[in-house]
Every structure is written in structure tokens, then in C-alpha cells.
Amino acid sequence: MNKNKIIELKAISKEFNGEQVLSEISLDIHDNEFVTLLGPSGCGKTTTLRIIAGFETPDSGDVFFGGVRINDLPPYKRELNTVFQKYALFPHLNVFENVAFGLRLKKLPEREITERVKEALAMVNLSGFERRNSEKLSGGQQQRVAIARALINRPKVLLLDEPLGALDLKLRKDMQNELKNIQHMTGITFIFVTHDQEEALSMSDTVVVMANGKIQQIGSPTDIYNEPVNAFVADFIGESNILDGIMLADYKARFAGNTFKCLDKGFEKNEPVDIVVRPEDVDVVPVEKGMLKGRVTSVTFKGVYYEIIVDIDGFKWMIQSTDYVAPEEEIGLYIEPDAIHVMKKSEFSDMFGDYSSFSDELEHLSDIEEVENTEDEL
Amino acid sequence: MNCNVKEIPPEKRVNKLKKPSLASIAAYPHIVWSVMFIIAPLLFVCYYAFTDSEGHFTFSNIQALSTHTNTFLLSISFSLIATAICLFIGYPLAFAISKAPKKRQPLLLMLLMLPMWMNLLIRTYSLMAILDDGGMINTFLKNIGIGELNIIGTSGAVIFGMVYDFLPYMVLPIYSVMSKQDEKLIEAAYDLGCHRMQAHLKVTLPLSVPGIVSGITMVFVPSISTFYISQKLGGGTIFLLGDTIEMQFQNKSTYNVGAAISLVMMILILISIAVMNKFSDNDEEGGIII
Ligand SMILES: Nc1ncnc2c1ncn2[C@@H]1O[C@H](COP(=O)(O)OP(=O)(O)OP(=O)(O)O)[C@@H](O)[C@H]1O
Ligand SMILES: [Mg+2]
């Protein structure tokens, strides 16, 4: 992307009460980009956003806006607006006045204010709601008012802190599309915070994966999914089987008691690595044709596919297949070279294992803590 | 056709028709109390206001009120001034307390309410001892060479007494509304382009109106009916409504005039509350009196 950088974070660190919340965050955000900060609860997403907005000052590091250092610029002088996590609509003002708030401060003529409020409300599909009491709206409607209120100031950058967190699934999907449309129409740079990886992948140009106050990976959604840099990212984004392995040579990896051809190179000879294999990239084949062999321990119907857990020498693999196999059946697995992704060892290497304690209830608890706990039980 | 109606289980019907809810039973003691000690006395006041000492219906008591016009005006202006001063001091104070560290707020509130743990009359007496000729302030002034001031007996002393006695009633409701305000709203205001003062005027202040309204009501009402403050600090020279009413009721023959003054004062208070309620039109939370 050859566009202008609009926001640059340079080695931002922040502590609260002696607890390191952000360490050395560096990030470039470009004009017209849709950037998503993604990470588990407490990893510092909101804090990063608040530093960009000016509600917090970094302990060290610099924030640049359009090339100008703005560390000490108060929020009201920054050319950006925020959509707050819980909307923060003004309860004493109706929808019109909430949206008009920023324009009234600029002392624009009444005619222009009316026109622009109408326009902004139309953009979020709330025409005709002008006189409504902002507190009596549904969650989704309040959300739209909050977006209109921020957009009307025509900021260069819009910050959105988990704006869809409180909405039900259907509304969430609708709003995701609407936000994308609005971003296309206005050309405003969006910095979007979420802990929902699906949302991040489907909406963003660039995803920034964070954990423990550090940026783990910055990349396009496909990059992040296909080439996670470490076990944390691989586990956090989508489902993955993460195995201990050794890089025997370029294009040759050994794991699960077998040697595989792969597309990765550039590691040292016999370097210990983490191997990721996505569940949908594994083919189920008859036992005799399999590179790996194991016994099916559970099968769950998921609509489009079956989710199959296979025990291979004590390591429980997850496989997604459109073909049914019966529990207790012996099957073979076949893995194409391009289905194997090799990662350097990291601080997260031992935190993520197989699917032995996997259950549907645990699926959405993707915090590191949760994973650590389940590890302990093994 | 009507089978639906018939099918309602009997116990449910009884429930609906006869058994009052627990909540309404809970209100019974207070209803009895109100009838005996609030409604009945009010009716007595009305009765006395419109009868002469023999119990005949008359308007003469109401007509006699014109001789007390000055007292009415004086009382109203004293109360308005005291209320204004309370608001002027109380609003910033409430704001300051609500912005203090959460852990320190209970202590600050306790300090504010500390005087209220003492009887109002005793507080006023001690204030008298402080302000009196030869009291603490005057001794101090004499010692530093300024010489004695005559404080007791001035309008200033009476208004000071009102402010002193009733200030907490202004601070508490405003504080209670402010402390519930969402900090995010202020941040939203900053975000949309407000600097500090604008954010206060456009968000904090309007959201505090219900508290301000109950604060004003809670200071104005006791101020306009007080009699001991003016008696003790007015040095017998300042006569307010409360004093006048008290005097009329000390003598059986002027009961009826006293009742008429009380009635008019109550109507004044009701009007002022109604006016104040207009300002906080919504059914917002936070109002203590309303
Ligand atoms: N004002 C503050 N004072 C003290 N600690 C804070 C403050 N703000 C944030 N923290 C701490 O900093 C850490 C990161 O918080 P932050 O709100 O940035 O997380 P987050 O990634 O937005 O999480 P979530 O997804 O739950 O919103 C947390 O441990 C939090 O407790
Ligand atoms: Mg957050």
C-alpha cells in the first residue's frame, strides 16, 4: 500500500499502577485504510485507541498524526472522532441534537446543521428519528446514532471501540456490512477494535493482532490466517492444530512421528519449530493411504461440515470434513505440502496444544488464561 | 365463546380481584399516618383560616393578610437570597466532591453532613454564640484592632444562618446526580470538540438539573418557613413569616389569622415546587424531593 501514513505509533509504552499494559507498540496506519486491532480481553486494545484519541498519554513513545507529533494535543483538537463501546449518547439530548453536537460547537449556520444531520442520519438508515429520545432507542439504533454523531464532523480518522459488541448476531452482521459501506463511501480511515476474529477477518484491510500489550502480527486477513507468525496468532485466528516439530532442511519438516514436504524454508538445520495445520486442510483417506493414522474419538455435525477429533499417538487433531466418518473408526490423514505452515518458536509455543479438552463451550473462550488452564489439566 | 374467560383458574381470579399486592399492604401504615398527621392538620388549617374565633365562616382572616405584605416580601427575598448563595457555593462543592478520588468521597460527604447530626436549634444557638457581641468573631476582631462589629440583628446574620443550616440540602442532591454521571459522556464531549468548560456547560450542567432543582426546593422551603433562625440571629428585630405565624398561634384569639398566613405560605411553597418541577420536566432520577 503506497498511501500516505496518517497515524504513526512509535514504540508506545504505557503502565497503569506498575502494570505494563502496552509495551513498544509501533504501528503505521494509512489513509483510507480499515485497520482492526484484534486480541483477547485486557490485551490493551482500548488503551491503544485512547492514546490515539488523546484520552491517555503514553509513558514513552510518540504518536504522529499526518506527520505531526501529537502526544500533548488535547482530544478536542485532534481531527478524529470516537464511537464508544457503550455508545455514550447524551441522554439529555434527542437524536438530532446528539448528532448535531459537534457542528453546534463549530457554530455553523442552522441551515447547514439541519442539512448535515439529515445526511448523516440517512447514511446510518435513521431518517425520521430526529426527534426521538436517544435513551429510548434500541441498542442497534443507539449504535447508529453514535456513528452518525462521529461521522458528521467529517473526521480524517474514526475510532471504533467494539462498536458491535452489544448487538445480537443478525444485527451484528448487518452493521458490519453497513460500516464497510460507510467506510467506502466516506473514505475515512477506520481503526476498529474487536475481540471477534471473524469480524476482524471479514471487515479489515489490515489486522493487528495483539496479546499481552504487544503487537504479535500486522498483516492482511489472508496473511494473518495463512501465515501466522506464532502459536498465539495461529490459535487465536481460526481453528488450528499446533504441533511441536523440527525443520530437518528447507522444505522438509518432521512432526507427529513422520516427515512431511512443506513450502517453508530459511530455518536452521534441525531447528525446533511450531507447525500449524488448519482443520479444513486435512484430507480424510483410507487408513492404508494415510500419512498419519488414528482413531476418531468424536464427530460433531456443524451444518456445512463435520468436525472430527482424531487421536493420533495421543495427540488429538481437529479435522473439518464434508464426509461423515463414524466415531471409533480408524482413518488415515493426508496433508498437502501447502497445508503445512512452519513458525519460529515463541513465548507462546507451549501454551497451545491439541484438542483433547476441546468442547463447544470452550470454543469461544480464547483467552490465553483459559488455554493455560486447560493445558494444566492434561 | 366465553370459554376462555371461564377457564381462568379460580385462584388466579381471586388473586386479581381481592388480594392486594404486598407492596400496597406495605404502604398502609404510612397511609394511616398521613391521614392522621398530615391530611387532618391541613384540613384544620383550612378550617381555621376561613372561620372566626366563634367558628363562623369569614374572609376577614384572608383580608387581614394585607397587613403582613411586608413580612411576606421580606421572607421571600431572604429565602431567595439564601437559596442563591447556597447554589453558588453548593454547586461547585458538589462538583468538586463528585470528582474527588472515589475513596475520599465518603469522608468529604461526612464532613459536609457532620453539622446535620446536631439539632438545628442547637446549631443556630452556637452560631449565635459565635456571631454575638463579645462572641468569638468579635473578640478576635477586637484583639487585632479592628473593633467590634454588630453582626447579630442584621439581615446578613439571618441569611448567613440560613445558608449555614441548609447548605448540605443543596449539595447532597446535586452530588448524588453528578456522581452517577457517566465519565464517558464527558469524554464523548471532548471527542466531539469541547474543551473542559464547554463540556461542563453542555453535558455536566444540563444533566445535573434534576439535582439542582431538588436542591433549590430543599433549601427554599425550610428557609421561607424558618422562625428560630431569624429569632436567634435577627436579635428580635427581623420578623419573618415563620415568626409571624408562631406569634399568631401563641394566642388563642389570633389562631385564625395564623392559619390564614400558613395557608398562603403553603400555597406559595406548592407553587414554587411546581415551577421548579417544570425545569426538570422529565422523570429523571436523582431528584430527592420530587
Ligand atoms: N485507567 C486504568 N487504570 C488502571 N488500569 C487500567 C486502566 N485502563 C486499563 N487498565 C488495564 O490495562 C489493561 C488493558 O486494558 P484495555 O482496556 O486496554 O484492554 P482491552 O484490550 O480493551 O480489553 P477488552 O477487550 O476487555 O475491552 C487491563 O489489564 C486493564 O485492567
Ligand atoms: Mg476494550
Side-chain angles (χ1 to χ4, degrees):
Chain A
M1 211 178 280
N2 268 331
K3 285 177 180 159
N4 290 331
K5 286 181 198 166
I6 183 153
I7 289 178
E8 293 160 79
L9 303 182
K10 296 219 161 124
I12 301 279
S13 294
K14 179 81 185 168
E15 270 186 19
F16 284 117
N17 316 320
E19 182 204 352
Q20 191 78 22
V21 170
L22 295 180
S23 28
E24 305 271 317
I25 296 280
S26 292
L27 177 62
D28 292 345
I29 292 163
H30 302 84
D31 264 338
N32 204 355
E33 200 177 1
F34 195 122
V35 179
T36 299
L37 305 184
L38 174 66
S41 188
C43 73
K45 306 180 296 287
T46 298
T47 308
T48 308
L49 219 56
R50 288 172 62 80
I51 286 175
I52 298 174
F55 297 126
E56 307 279 357
T57 43
D59 297 337
S60 65
D62 293 313
V63 186
F64 290 89
F65 191 102
V68 183
R69 185 175 174 275
I70 56 163
N71 282 35
D72 306 311
L73 201 67
Y76 67 91
K77 287 191 181 156
R78 300 190 181 197
E79 285 177 277
L80 45 79
N81 286 107
T82 307
V83 176
F84 290 86
Q85 195 159 3
K86 300 239 169 67
Y87 321 138
L89 297 182
F90 302 120
H92 59 298
L93 301 177
N94 63 20
V95 170
F96 183 95
E97 289 303 326
N98 260 286
V99 178
F101 195 89
L103 299 185
R104 291 223 185 282
L105 288 169
K106 292 183 186 146
K107 305 243 185 316
L108 294 187
E110 194 62 38
R111 268 238 328 275
E112 191 183 344
I113 293 181
T114 314
E115 226 162 73
R116 276 172 68 175
V117 171
K118 274 219 160 98
E119 198 184 306
L121 285 177
M123 196 181 305
V124 294
N125 286 330
L126 276 185
S127 299
F129 281 69
E130 286 86 349
R131 304 285 147 216
R132 294 280 203 98
N133 180 339
S134 56
E135 276 196 306
K136 305 246 158 79
L137 299 177
S138 74
Q141 290 165 341
Q142 291 191 25
Q143 179 59 62
R144 289 153 200 262
V145 176
I147 292 168
R149 183 178 71 173
L151 281 176
I152 200 167
N153 299 295
R154 300 184 180 151
K156 291 194 177 146
V157 177
L158 191 66
L159 310 179
L160 303 105
D161 192 354
E162 303 205 23
L164 311 181
L167 307 182
D168 64 51
L169 193 65
K170 169 89 174 62
L171 207 51
R172 234 181 134 102
K173 297 272 178 229
D174 292 347
M175 283 302 293
Q176 286 175 4
N177 290 332
E178 260 178 64
L179 279 175
K180 270 308 293 185
N181 286 338
I182 289 171
Q183 202 246 347
H184 276 302
M185 274 188 321
T186 57
I188 296 173
T189 304
F190 274 37
I191 306 179
F192 186 93
V193 164
T194 181
H195 56 238
D196 179 338
Q197 41 110 359
E198 238 182 82
E199 195 165 283
L201 294 181
S202 63
M203 294 178 80
S204 326
D205 300 320
T206 304
V207 178
V208 178
V209 184
M210 296 176 68
N212 301 342
K214 294 194 197 92
I215 292 182
Q216 303 299 331
Q217 188 169 5
I218 303 176
S220 70
T222 39
D223 285 351
I224 299 265
Y225 188 84
N226 291 332
E227 278 154 43
V229 295
N230 62 31
F232 174 82
V233 178
D235 180 82
F236 196 73
I237 313 287
E239 299 294 347
S240 43
N241 300 292
I242 302 174
L243 300 102
D244 262 336
I246 292 173
M247 214 46 193
L248 298 173
D250 281 354
Y251 312 118
K252 208 163 159 203
R254 181 167 181 84
F255 59 91
N258 213 328
T259 305
F260 294 83
K261 256 205 243 162
C262 65
L263 304 180
D264 300 78
K265 58 170 178 154
F267 293 85
E268 279 168 39
K269 198 170 158 57
N270 291 333
E271 182 177 336
V273 290
D274 287 327
I275 306 283
V276 187
V277 181
R278 297 289 185 186
E280 68 274 21
D281 293 339
V282 181
D283 299 324
V284 176
V285 292
V287 181
E288 59 283 4
K289 288 189 188 154
M291 304 159 97
L292 300 171
K293 303 170 186 47
R295 198 170 42 84
V296 176
T297 60
S298 86
V299 179
T300 316
F301 181 56
K302 289 287 183 182
V304 184
Y305 57 85
Y306 293 94
E307 192 170 86
I308 305 160
I309 306 290
V310 190
D311 186 333
I312 298 175
D313 296 331
F315 187 98
K316 299 250 170 55
W317 288 66
M318 179 194 274
I319 291 153
Q320 290 165 357
S321 162
T322 47
D323 299 323
Y324 178 76
V325 292
E328 306 301 326
E329 196 178 325
E330 293 284 333
I331 58 168
L333 301 184
Y334 184 82
I335 305 170
E336 300 272 0
D338 68 355
I340 296 166
H341 175 67
V342 183
M343 308 177 301
K344 291 244 180 222
K345 284 277 176 193
S346 69
E347 56 180 306
F348 302 102
S349 291
D350 298 325
M351 291 183 185
F352 307 100
D354 64 357
Y355 284 88
S356 27
S357 54
F358 178 79
S359 75
D360 283 340
E361 295 99 85
L362 271 177
E363 194 170 23
H364 59 273
L365 298 173
S366 32
D367 282 49
I368 299 176
E369 285 86 354
E370 308 304 337
V371 179
E372 269 171 351
N373 289 344
T374 49
E375 279 283 304
D376 290 344
E377 287 158 21
L378 300 184
Chain B
M1 260 214 58
N2 280 336
C3 57
N4 279 340
V5 175
K6 278 176 193 156
E7 265 168 20
I8 295 175
E11 64 274 14
K12 214 174 192 175
R13 235 176 324 171
V14 171
N15 222 339
K16 253 198 176 159
L17 295 180
K18 287 199 182 133
K19 249 199 216 150
S21 73
L22 188 60
S24 59
I25 294 177
Y28 284 172
H30 181 253
I31 291 171
V32 173
W33 174 271
S34 309
V35 169
M36 281 168 60
F37 297 110
I38 300 176
I39 314 249
L42 278 176
L43 292 177
F44 275 117
V45 169
C46 291
Y47 170 78
Y48 278 117
F50 290 103
T51 52
D52 59 19
S53 47
E54 266 108 52
H56 301 303
F57 180 82
T58 176
F59 275 118
S60 62
N61 302 320
I62 305 292
Q63 278 153 6
L65 285 180
S66 59
T67 56
H68 296 285
T69 312
N70 283 339
T71 317
F72 270 102
L73 291 179
L74 194 68
S75 273
I76 292 173
S77 38
F78 271 38
S79 313
L80 285 178
I81 294 170
T83 308
I85 296 174
C86 280
L87 183 60
F88 190 72
I89 301 172
Y91 182 86
L93 181 58
F95 180 65
I97 297 177
S98 75
K99 289 291 165 239
K102 276 269 173 295
K103 269 192 235 152
R104 206 169 313 147
Q105 290 186 14
L107 178 71
L108 293 173
L109 283 178
M110 203 191 72
L111 287 176
L112 177 77
M113 294 201 292
L114 208 56
M116 291 169 76
W117 296 355
M118 227 186 334
N119 181 289
L120 211 60
L121 212 54
I122 299 173
R123 250 189 292 159
T124 312
Y125 262 111
S126 51
L127 202 55
M128 195 170 124
I130 295 171
L131 300 176
D132 219 346
D133 306 350
M136 264 167 58
I137 291 187
N138 272 319
T139 315
F140 174 73
L141 290 177
K142 206 161 76 184
N143 287 349
I144 61 168
I146 293 181
E148 292 203 359
L149 280 179
N150 200 1
I151 302 175
I152 295 288
T154 61
S155 338
V158 175
I159 291 172
F160 180 79
M162 289 176 173
V163 172
Y164 177 80
D165 278 340
F166 303 131
L167 182 62
Y169 297 116
M170 181 65 82
V171 179
L172 289 179
I174 299 179
Y175 163 82
S176 94
V177 173
M178 280 181 173
S179 62
K180 277 186 235 138
Q181 280 172 22
D182 185 356
E183 193 56 36
K184 285 273 173 293
L185 294 179
I186 303 296
E187 285 189 354
Y190 289 154
D191 186 75
L192 294 166
C194 284
H195 46 73
R196 249 168 230 260
M197 200 58 196
Q198 279 176 318
H200 188 96
L201 294 178
K202 288 189 172 276
V203 178
T204 312
L205 179 63
L207 288 176
S208 306
V209 166
I212 296 174
V213 166
S214 29
I216 289 178
T217 320
M218 289 176 76
V219 172
F220 183 76
V221 171
S223 297
I224 202 167
S225 52
T226 184
F227 59 90
Y228 46 86
I229 294 178
S230 42
Q231 265 172 22
K232 301 303 163 213
L233 304 177
T237 58
I238 292 170
F239 248 63
L240 297 184
L241 268 184
D243 305 301
T244 314
I245 294 170
E246 196 212 10
M247 211 176 65
Q248 308 297 334
F249 276 102
Q250 273 167 3
N251 189 337
K252 181 91 178 124
S253 66
T254 49
Y255 253 47
N256 307 84
V257 178
I261 301 175
S262 307
L263 193 64
V264 172
M265 191 179 75
M266 276 190 297
I267 291 169
L268 274 181
I269 290 174
L270 285 180
I271 291 172
S272 68
I273 292 178
V275 169
M276 290 317 293
N277 278 344
K278 270 267 172 291
F279 280 99
S280 65
D281 46 7
N282 288 338
D283 44 354
E284 295 296 310
E285 76 288 352
I288 287 185
I289 242 186
I290 338 158

